[in-house]
Amino acid sequence: MGDKPIWEQIGSSFIQHYYQLFDADRTQLGAIYIDASCLTWEGQQFQGKAAIVEKLTSLPFQKIQHSITAQDHQPTPDSCILSMVVGQLKADDDQVLGFHQTFLLKNLQGAWVCTNEVFRLSLHNV
């Protein structure tokens, strides 16, 4: 990992941490958001740490497992990191579904937090 740019190292570490928390105990995700954070989940908008955690913990499944296919990270001009994830998830006994998720990460007082997040399942109308 040492030969990758620092923004890729930070982005990859954040993504790994996020999905470990999400899959194990979504109630712990509050630590990565701030009160100004925004989430768009399948077109629904949520703002603030409490609203985001409420949405994520109220999702209608008991267990979930994410598998990351690809992730890309970019530095932004204002010293943030933009991360995009493509992968698959399996919730309870449902079929495996593809998803895309984008995060904007910002360093606040030495900790990386998610200020913006967008999630979509890869569903197609047929």
Side-chain angles (χ1 to χ4, degrees), residues 38-101:
C38 294
L39 166 67
T40 302
W41 188 273
E42 289 289 317
Q44 292 182 296
Q45 304 266 338
F46 303 89
Q47 185 167 11
K49 180 191 296 198
I52 292 169
V53 172
E54 181 179 337
K55 172 60 181 174
L56 297 178
T57 56
S58 70
L59 292 169
F61 50 80
Q62 297 301 308
K63 61 181 179 176
I64 188 165
Q65 183 176 3
H66 289 85
S67 175
I68 305 306
T69 305
Q71 55 183 300
D72 297 296
H73 311 280
Q74 294 179 350
T76 67
D78 57 349
S79 301
C80 293
I81 298 171
L82 180 66
S83 296
M84 187 186 84
V85 176
V86 177
Q88 295 181 318
L89 59 83
K90 180 159 179 52
D92 294 332
D93 294 324
D94 294 344
Q95 68 181 4
V96 173
L97 298 171
F99 74 93
H100 296 83
Q101 199 159 6

